Amino acid sequence: MKKIKLTYIYIVAFVIVAYILLPIMNAPYLYALQEHSLFVTGHTFMEETVKHHGGWLVWISCYLTQFFYYPWLGSSIIIAMWVATYFVCIKGFMLNDKWAWTAILPLAFRLYDLLSLGYWLYYAKEPGYAFESTVTMLLVACLGSILVYPLRRYAKNQIVSMAIATIIPFLLPSWRHYDNFGTTMLDTNFRKELKMYRAINECQWEKALAEAPLCKDENAKDPTNLMVIMKNIALMNTDQTLDKMYEYNNCGVLPSKTADSLNVSMSRQAGPLVYLRYGMVNYAYRWAMENSVRGYQNVDNLKIMIRCAVLNQEWEVAMKYITILKGTTFHKSWAKTWEIYVHDGQLFSLDEEFRTVYPLMMNHNDLDTDEGNVQRYLLEHFTNMDTRNPRLEELALTFSLQAQACNEFMINFYYFFMNHKDIQMPRILDEAAYMFSQLDECPIDMTGYNFDQITIADKYNRFAEEYQSHLHKGLETKEIGEKMRKQYGNTYWWYYYFYTEFNLY
C-alpha cells in the first residue's frame, strides 16, 4: 500500500482545523466582518478605495470579504487561497516531506490573524481587513516562486534556505495592533453579543432571547451591559418585559479586556442600533454617521441610516443610501425592499420595523448630547420621563428599576397604577414598590395599596432576615448573593441588593 505523503497530511489537517475554527465555531463573527465592510460594484467605489484606502489589494479584499455573508462560502474561498499558497510554496521551492511543515506556518498565522480582531472589529480603519493579508501572502508566494526558479540548478538545501527566508516574513504577527485571539475564541459573551446583535437587527426577538442567560443558570457567565440591553429590547418587542425581565441575569459587566486593553465604547459597538430600537431615530442616525466618519462606510451603518431616513420621511436621504446598497451583491434585495417603502408608506406601516419603532418616537427625538455614553443617557432619559404613552410608561418603569432609582421608580409606579387599576400588577413592580415603600425617603405613601401578603410582604421579610443573618456572620456581599441566588435570584430584591458593580461604557 502506497504511503500517504506528509505534504498532503499537513494540508488536510490544516483545512479541517480551519473549517472548525471559522464557519463552525465563529460564523457570527464572520458575518459581522462583512457587515462592517462594504463592496459596491462600479467605477466610483473602485476609484475611491484605490485612492484613499490602500490601493488595489484593499479593493480586492473588500470584494472577497462580502462573501462572508454566507460564512461557509467566505470560509471556503479564504481556505482555498491558503491551500493555493501552500502548494505554490511546495512546488515553487521544491519542498519535500521533510520541509513541508514550513509551508503550513504562514497559513496558520493568517488564520490566527483573521481570528485576532476581537473588539477591534468596531474600530478598524482598514476595509477588507479579513482578506488583505491572505491576498498579499498569495501574491508574495507566487512572486517568490518565480524569483527562486533560476536557483533550481543549485543544491536543494539552498532552495530550502531560500524558501525559509521567503516564509519568515509571513510568520511575523500582523503589523496592526490587533492581538485578541482569546476574545474571539474564548470569550462566550463576545460571540453571544454578535448573535444577539444580528437577531435584534433583523427583528428576530426569540433568537436574541435564546442567547441571554437566565437567573437559574448559576454557572453561566454574567452578560455584558449590551447583552442586557438587547435582551430588554427583545422582551419589549414581545410584550414580556414586566413579566420576565428579572427571570434573566441583569448583572451586566464590562466587555472582556482585549490583549491591548482597548476600552470598548457601546456607542461604537452598537449605539446606532440600540437608539433605533428605542425610537431615538436622530441619535441612531447621528452615531451611524459619526462611526462612518471615524472609520469608513460599511453595510451596517448604511442600513441604520436608511431606516432612520425613512422613519423621518427624509426620502432623498434614504434614496442616496439605498442607491449605494443596491450596488452590493448580497444586500441588494434588502435595499430594494426599502426603496419600495420610500414610495409606499402604507406598505411600510405593516413592516416590523415600523410597528416596533414608530410608537416609541414620540416626545423624545430632539437631538441632545449623550457625551458618548449610550447606556447612561438611556437610563437618565427614560427614568425621568413623564409620559402617558403605554409603551413609554413601561420603559420609564424598567429603566428606573435598572438604575435602582427609588424616587423615580415610585413616582412612575404611582402614575402607572393610577392609569391601570384594571390590570393585575406585575410581580416585579410589586416587589420593587414594597421594598422602596419601606424606606424613609420614599416619595409616595403606599398606605392602602394592597400588596399580596404571602407572595410579596412575607417573602420580602424572609429575604431581608436571611440577608441580615448572613451579614452578621461576616460574609461578604458577593458571597451572600451567591448563597441567596437560587431562592431569590429572579426577584428585584436580589438585583437591588447584590448588583453593586454598575459600570457604564
Side-chain angles (χ1 to χ4, degrees), residues 25 50 56 113 124 157 170 187 209 215 223 281 290 300 305 317 323 329-330 347 362 434 436 457 504:
M25 294 183 63
V50 172
W56 288 100
D113 193 40
N157 63 334
F170 299 150
D187 186 359
L209 292 174
C215 287
V281 174
E290 186 164 329
D300 190 51
M305 291 192 288
V317 175
T323 301
T329 304
F330 299 107
L347 184 61
M362 305 176 185
Y434 184 81
F436 289 140
L504 306 179

PDB file of all heavy atoms in Angstrom, residues 25 50 56 113 124 157 170 187 209 215 223 281 290 300 305 317 323 329-330 347 362 434 436 457 504:
ATOM      1  N   MET A  25     -17.306  27.319  14.415  1.00  0.00           N
ATOM      2  CA  MET A  25     -17.255  27.975  15.722  1.00  0.00           C
ATOM      3  C   MET A  25     -17.508  29.479  15.674  1.00  0.00           C
ATOM      4  O   MET A  25     -17.947  30.061  16.669  1.00  0.00           O
ATOM      5  CB  MET A  25     -15.889  27.709  16.377  1.00  0.00           C
ATOM      6  CG  MET A  25     -15.634  26.266  16.732  1.00  0.00           C
ATOM      7  SD  MET A  25     -14.043  26.031  17.572  1.00  0.00           S
ATOM      8  CE  MET A  25     -14.294  26.989  19.074  1.00  0.00           C
ATOM      9  N   VAL A  50      -9.225  52.589  -4.131  1.00  0.00           N
ATOM     10  CA  VAL A  50      -7.832  52.538  -4.594  1.00  0.00           C
ATOM     11  C   VAL A  50      -7.072  53.792  -4.178  1.00  0.00           C
ATOM     12  O   VAL A  50      -5.911  53.723  -3.739  1.00  0.00           O
ATOM     13  CB  VAL A  50      -7.780  52.350  -6.127  1.00  0.00           C
ATOM     14  CG1 VAL A  50      -6.360  52.505  -6.638  1.00  0.00           C
ATOM     15  CG2 VAL A  50      -8.339  50.984  -6.506  1.00  0.00           C
ATOM     16  N   TRP A  56      -5.172  48.622  -4.801  1.00  0.00           N
ATOM     17  CA  TRP A  56      -5.907  47.512  -5.412  1.00  0.00           C
ATOM     18  C   TRP A  56      -6.068  46.322  -4.470  1.00  0.00           C
ATOM     19  O   TRP A  56      -7.074  45.604  -4.540  1.00  0.00           O
ATOM     20  CB  TRP A  56      -5.202  47.071  -6.690  1.00  0.00           C
ATOM     21  CG  TRP A  56      -5.352  48.056  -7.807  1.00  0.00           C
ATOM     22  CD1 TRP A  56      -4.449  48.987  -8.224  1.00  0.00           C
ATOM     23  CD2 TRP A  56      -6.505  48.228  -8.623  1.00  0.00           C
ATOM     24  NE1 TRP A  56      -4.956  49.742  -9.244  1.00  0.00           N
ATOM     25  CE2 TRP A  56      -6.223  49.294  -9.525  1.00  0.00           C
ATOM     26  CE3 TRP A  56      -7.750  47.611  -8.694  1.00  0.00           C
ATOM     27  CZ2 TRP A  56      -7.142  49.725 -10.467  1.00  0.00           C
ATOM     28  CZ3 TRP A  56      -8.671  48.036  -9.636  1.00  0.00           C
ATOM     29  CH2 TRP A  56      -8.359  49.085 -10.510  1.00  0.00           C
ATOM     30  N   ASP A 113      -4.402  35.489  12.469  1.00  0.00           N
ATOM     31  CA  ASP A 113      -4.608  36.910  12.200  1.00  0.00           C
ATOM     32  C   ASP A 113      -6.085  37.212  11.976  1.00  0.00           C
ATOM     33  O   ASP A 113      -6.614  38.204  12.474  1.00  0.00           O
ATOM     34  CB  ASP A 113      -3.781  37.300  10.975  1.00  0.00           C
ATOM     35  CG  ASP A 113      -3.677  38.802  10.804  1.00  0.00           C
ATOM     36  OD1 ASP A 113      -3.527  39.510  11.810  1.00  0.00           O
ATOM     37  OD2 ASP A 113      -3.758  39.270   9.654  1.00  0.00           O
ATOM     38  N   ALA A 124     -11.577  49.176  13.589  1.00  0.00           N
ATOM     39  CA  ALA A 124     -10.652  49.026  12.467  1.00  0.00           C
ATOM     40  C   ALA A 124     -10.897  50.102  11.417  1.00  0.00           C
ATOM     41  O   ALA A 124     -12.037  50.426  11.088  1.00  0.00           O
ATOM     42  CB  ALA A 124     -10.802  47.640  11.849  1.00  0.00           C
ATOM     43  N   ASN A 157      19.362  22.031  -0.718  1.00  0.00           N
ATOM     44  CA  ASN A 157      19.390  22.696   0.580  1.00  0.00           C
ATOM     45  C   ASN A 157      19.409  24.210   0.421  1.00  0.00           C
ATOM     46  O   ASN A 157      18.935  24.949   1.279  1.00  0.00           O
ATOM     47  CB  ASN A 157      20.585  22.235   1.419  1.00  0.00           C
ATOM     48  CG  ASN A 157      21.904  22.603   0.760  1.00  0.00           C
ATOM     49  OD1 ASN A 157      21.980  22.754  -0.458  1.00  0.00           O
ATOM     50  ND2 ASN A 157      22.940  22.718   1.578  1.00  0.00           N
ATOM     51  N   PHE A 170       6.181  35.945   6.551  1.00  0.00           N
ATOM     52  CA  PHE A 170       4.802  35.563   6.778  1.00  0.00           C
ATOM     53  C   PHE A 170       4.566  35.184   8.237  1.00  0.00           C
ATOM     54  O   PHE A 170       3.444  35.179   8.712  1.00  0.00           O
ATOM     55  CB  PHE A 170       4.413  34.358   5.907  1.00  0.00           C
ATOM     56  CG  PHE A 170       4.529  34.610   4.427  1.00  0.00           C
ATOM     57  CD1 PHE A 170       4.830  33.571   3.563  1.00  0.00           C
ATOM     58  CD2 PHE A 170       4.342  35.874   3.906  1.00  0.00           C
ATOM     59  CE1 PHE A 170       4.931  33.788   2.205  1.00  0.00           C
ATOM     60  CE2 PHE A 170       4.451  36.100   2.549  1.00  0.00           C
ATOM     61  CZ  PHE A 170       4.742  35.051   1.693  1.00  0.00           C
ATOM     62  N   ASP A 187     -14.030  34.041  24.555  1.00  0.00           N
ATOM     63  CA  ASP A 187     -14.999  34.896  25.230  1.00  0.00           C
ATOM     64  C   ASP A 187     -16.407  34.592  24.717  1.00  0.00           C
ATOM     65  O   ASP A 187     -16.806  35.031  23.633  1.00  0.00           O
ATOM     66  CB  ASP A 187     -14.646  36.370  25.001  1.00  0.00           C
ATOM     67  CG  ASP A 187     -15.536  37.314  25.803  1.00  0.00           C
ATOM     68  OD1 ASP A 187     -16.424  36.808  26.519  1.00  0.00           O
ATOM     69  OD2 ASP A 187     -15.337  38.526  25.711  1.00  0.00           O
ATOM     70  N   LEU A 209     -33.329  36.354  22.635  1.00  0.00           N
ATOM     71  CA  LEU A 209     -33.582  35.886  23.995  1.00  0.00           C
ATOM     72  C   LEU A 209     -32.916  34.538  24.260  1.00  0.00           C
ATOM     73  O   LEU A 209     -32.524  34.241  25.399  1.00  0.00           O
ATOM     74  CB  LEU A 209     -35.089  35.780  24.250  1.00  0.00           C
ATOM     75  CG  LEU A 209     -35.855  37.108  24.296  1.00  0.00           C
ATOM     76  CD1 LEU A 209     -37.353  36.859  24.410  1.00  0.00           C
ATOM     77  CD2 LEU A 209     -35.370  37.961  25.458  1.00  0.00           C
ATOM     78  N   CYS A 215     -31.533  33.649  35.139  1.00  0.00           N
ATOM     79  CA  CYS A 215     -31.081  33.710  36.534  1.00  0.00           C
ATOM     80  C   CYS A 215     -30.739  32.326  37.070  1.00  0.00           C
ATOM     81  O   CYS A 215     -29.818  32.161  37.865  1.00  0.00           O
ATOM     82  CB  CYS A 215     -32.160  34.336  37.410  1.00  0.00           C
ATOM     83  SG  CYS A 215     -32.336  36.098  37.164  1.00  0.00           S
ATOM     84  N   PRO A 223     -23.677  38.442  31.800  1.00  0.00           N
ATOM     85  CA  PRO A 223     -23.708  39.065  30.472  1.00  0.00           C
ATOM     86  C   PRO A 223     -23.076  40.443  30.500  1.00  0.00           C
ATOM     87  O   PRO A 223     -22.935  41.060  31.560  1.00  0.00           O
ATOM     88  CB  PRO A 223     -25.207  39.160  30.179  1.00  0.00           C
ATOM     89  CG  PRO A 223     -25.827  39.325  31.538  1.00  0.00           C
ATOM     90  CD  PRO A 223     -24.993  38.462  32.456  1.00  0.00           C
ATOM     91  N   VAL A 281     -34.471  57.946  16.851  1.00  0.00           N
ATOM     92  CA  VAL A 281     -34.001  57.814  15.477  1.00  0.00           C
ATOM     93  C   VAL A 281     -32.882  58.795  15.151  1.00  0.00           C
ATOM     94  O   VAL A 281     -31.909  58.445  14.474  1.00  0.00           O
ATOM     95  CB  VAL A 281     -35.187  57.983  14.502  1.00  0.00           C
ATOM     96  CG1 VAL A 281     -34.702  58.007  13.065  1.00  0.00           C
ATOM     97  CG2 VAL A 281     -36.189  56.851  14.702  1.00  0.00           C
ATOM     98  N   GLU A 290     -21.397  59.269  12.535  1.00  0.00           N
ATOM     99  CA  GLU A 290     -20.132  59.553  13.205  1.00  0.00           C
ATOM    100  C   GLU A 290     -19.186  58.355  13.133  1.00  0.00           C
ATOM    101  O   GLU A 290     -17.989  58.521  12.920  1.00  0.00           O
ATOM    102  CB  GLU A 290     -20.393  59.935  14.663  1.00  0.00           C
ATOM    103  CG  GLU A 290     -19.141  60.392  15.396  1.00  0.00           C
ATOM    104  CD  GLU A 290     -19.437  61.132  16.684  1.00  0.00           C
ATOM    105  OE1 GLU A 290     -20.489  61.792  16.752  1.00  0.00           O
ATOM    106  OE2 GLU A 290     -18.616  61.057  17.608  1.00  0.00           O
ATOM    107  N   ASP A 300     -23.516  47.875   7.723  1.00  0.00           N
ATOM    108  CA  ASP A 300     -24.308  48.039   8.938  1.00  0.00           C
ATOM    109  C   ASP A 300     -24.744  49.487   9.121  1.00  0.00           C
ATOM    110  O   ASP A 300     -25.921  49.761   9.403  1.00  0.00           O
ATOM    111  CB  ASP A 300     -23.488  47.566  10.148  1.00  0.00           C
ATOM    112  CG  ASP A 300     -24.319  47.465  11.403  1.00  0.00           C
ATOM    113  OD1 ASP A 300     -25.387  46.837  11.362  1.00  0.00           O
ATOM    114  OD2 ASP A 300     -23.912  48.023  12.440  1.00  0.00           O
ATOM    115  N   MET A 305     -28.838  54.076   8.643  1.00  0.00           N
ATOM    116  CA  MET A 305     -29.169  55.413   8.124  1.00  0.00           C
ATOM    117  C   MET A 305     -30.364  55.372   7.175  1.00  0.00           C
ATOM    118  O   MET A 305     -31.163  56.314   7.145  1.00  0.00           O
ATOM    119  CB  MET A 305     -27.935  56.016   7.443  1.00  0.00           C
ATOM    120  CG  MET A 305     -26.835  56.352   8.431  1.00  0.00           C
ATOM    121  SD  MET A 305     -25.485  57.365   7.784  1.00  0.00           S
ATOM    122  CE  MET A 305     -24.664  56.195   6.732  1.00  0.00           C
ATOM    123  N   VAL A 317     -32.625  61.564   1.292  1.00  0.00           N
ATOM    124  CA  VAL A 317     -31.507  60.997   2.050  1.00  0.00           C
ATOM    125  C   VAL A 317     -31.562  59.477   2.004  1.00  0.00           C
ATOM    126  O   VAL A 317     -30.551  58.803   1.778  1.00  0.00           O
ATOM    127  CB  VAL A 317     -31.550  61.483   3.518  1.00  0.00           C
ATOM    128  CG1 VAL A 317     -30.455  60.805   4.339  1.00  0.00           C
ATOM    129  CG2 VAL A 317     -31.405  62.995   3.576  1.00  0.00           C
ATOM    130  N   THR A 323     -29.354  53.665  -2.928  1.00  0.00           N
ATOM    131  CA  THR A 323     -28.646  53.515  -4.209  1.00  0.00           C
ATOM    132  C   THR A 323     -27.279  52.875  -3.998  1.00  0.00           C
ATOM    133  O   THR A 323     -26.857  52.029  -4.788  1.00  0.00           O
ATOM    134  CB  THR A 323     -28.489  54.887  -4.886  1.00  0.00           C
ATOM    135  OG1 THR A 323     -29.777  55.460  -5.109  1.00  0.00           O
ATOM    136  CG2 THR A 323     -27.763  54.745  -6.224  1.00  0.00           C
ATOM    137  N   THR A 329     -23.704  42.980  -3.574  1.00  0.00           N
ATOM    138  CA  THR A 329     -24.119  41.672  -4.079  1.00  0.00           C
ATOM    139  C   THR A 329     -25.197  41.041  -3.221  1.00  0.00           C
ATOM    140  O   THR A 329     -26.207  40.552  -3.729  1.00  0.00           O
ATOM    141  CB  THR A 329     -22.903  40.718  -4.145  1.00  0.00           C
ATOM    142  OG1 THR A 329     -21.883  41.304  -4.951  1.00  0.00           O
ATOM    143  CG2 THR A 329     -23.305  39.373  -4.732  1.00  0.00           C
ATOM    144  N   PHE A 330     -25.017  41.073  -1.911  1.00  0.00           N
ATOM    145  CA  PHE A 330     -25.890  40.312  -1.025  1.00  0.00           C
ATOM    146  C   PHE A 330     -26.920  41.159  -0.281  1.00  0.00           C
ATOM    147  O   PHE A 330     -27.801  40.615   0.381  1.00  0.00           O
ATOM    148  CB  PHE A 330     -25.036  39.534  -0.012  1.00  0.00           C
ATOM    149  CG  PHE A 330     -24.101  38.555  -0.652  1.00  0.00           C
ATOM    150  CD1 PHE A 330     -22.740  38.806  -0.694  1.00  0.00           C
ATOM    151  CD2 PHE A 330     -24.591  37.397  -1.241  1.00  0.00           C
ATOM    152  CE1 PHE A 330     -21.867  37.908  -1.293  1.00  0.00           C
ATOM    153  CE2 PHE A 330     -23.728  36.496  -1.844  1.00  0.00           C
ATOM    154  CZ  PHE A 330     -22.367  36.748  -1.875  1.00  0.00           C
ATOM    155  N   LEU A 347     -47.444  50.306   2.865  1.00  0.00           N
ATOM    156  CA  LEU A 347     -46.773  49.010   2.956  1.00  0.00           C
ATOM    157  C   LEU A 347     -45.754  49.024   4.089  1.00  0.00           C
ATOM    158  O   LEU A 347     -45.631  48.044   4.842  1.00  0.00           O
ATOM    159  CB  LEU A 347     -46.083  48.678   1.630  1.00  0.00           C
ATOM    160  CG  LEU A 347     -45.419  47.290   1.554  1.00  0.00           C
ATOM    161  CD1 LEU A 347     -46.454  46.185   1.733  1.00  0.00           C
ATOM    162  CD2 LEU A 347     -44.702  47.121   0.212  1.00  0.00           C
ATOM    163  N   MET A 362     -42.285  59.253  19.772  1.00  0.00           N
ATOM    164  CA  MET A 362     -42.952  60.466  20.263  1.00  0.00           C
ATOM    165  C   MET A 362     -42.184  61.098  21.420  1.00  0.00           C
ATOM    166  O   MET A 362     -41.686  60.401  22.301  1.00  0.00           O
ATOM    167  CB  MET A 362     -44.368  60.127  20.729  1.00  0.00           C
ATOM    168  CG  MET A 362     -45.215  59.430  19.677  1.00  0.00           C
ATOM    169  SD  MET A 362     -46.832  58.959  20.325  1.00  0.00           S
ATOM    170  CE  MET A 362     -47.476  58.042  18.916  1.00  0.00           C
ATOM    171  N   TYR A 434     -42.889  47.488  47.095  1.00  0.00           N
ATOM    172  CA  TYR A 434     -42.949  47.129  48.509  1.00  0.00           C
ATOM    173  C   TYR A 434     -41.619  47.436  49.199  1.00  0.00           C
ATOM    174  O   TYR A 434     -41.596  47.994  50.305  1.00  0.00           O
ATOM    175  CB  TYR A 434     -43.294  45.648  48.672  1.00  0.00           C
ATOM    176  CG  TYR A 434     -43.461  45.249  50.127  1.00  0.00           C
ATOM    177  CD1 TYR A 434     -44.656  45.498  50.795  1.00  0.00           C
ATOM    178  CD2 TYR A 434     -42.416  44.653  50.833  1.00  0.00           C
ATOM    179  CE1 TYR A 434     -44.818  45.163  52.134  1.00  0.00           C
ATOM    180  CE2 TYR A 434     -42.560  44.312  52.168  1.00  0.00           C
ATOM    181  CZ  TYR A 434     -43.757  44.564  52.815  1.00  0.00           C
ATOM    182  OH  TYR A 434     -43.906  44.231  54.145  1.00  0.00           O
ATOM    183  N   PHE A 436     -39.209  49.586  48.278  1.00  0.00           N
ATOM    184  CA  PHE A 436     -38.954  51.026  48.357  1.00  0.00           C
ATOM    185  C   PHE A 436     -39.898  51.713  49.332  1.00  0.00           C
ATOM    186  O   PHE A 436     -39.546  52.743  49.937  1.00  0.00           O
ATOM    187  CB  PHE A 436     -39.072  51.658  46.973  1.00  0.00           C
ATOM    188  CG  PHE A 436     -37.952  51.291  46.030  1.00  0.00           C
ATOM    189  CD1 PHE A 436     -38.209  51.026  44.686  1.00  0.00           C
ATOM    190  CD2 PHE A 436     -36.643  51.216  46.482  1.00  0.00           C
ATOM    191  CE1 PHE A 436     -37.175  50.694  43.818  1.00  0.00           C
ATOM    192  CE2 PHE A 436     -35.606  50.879  45.613  1.00  0.00           C
ATOM    193  CZ  PHE A 436     -35.873  50.616  44.289  1.00  0.00           C
ATOM    194  N   ALA A 457     -45.075  40.569  50.684  1.00  0.00           N
ATOM    195  CA  ALA A 457     -44.674  41.065  52.009  1.00  0.00           C
ATOM    196  C   ALA A 457     -43.907  40.024  52.815  1.00  0.00           C
ATOM    197  O   ALA A 457     -42.787  40.281  53.279  1.00  0.00           O
ATOM    198  CB  ALA A 457     -45.910  41.525  52.770  1.00  0.00           C
ATOM    199  N   LEU A 504     -20.707  51.634  33.455  1.00  0.00           N
ATOM    200  CA  LEU A 504     -21.236  52.005  32.145  1.00  0.00           C
ATOM    201  C   LEU A 504     -20.091  52.244  31.182  1.00  0.00           C
ATOM    202  O   LEU A 504     -19.007  52.682  31.570  1.00  0.00           O
ATOM    203  CB  LEU A 504     -22.085  53.267  32.256  1.00  0.00           C
ATOM    204  CG  LEU A 504     -23.221  53.212  33.298  1.00  0.00           C
ATOM    205  CD1 LEU A 504     -23.974  54.535  33.322  1.00  0.00           C
ATOM    206  CD2 LEU A 504     -24.176  52.072  33.004  1.00  0.00           C
TER     207      LEU A 504
END
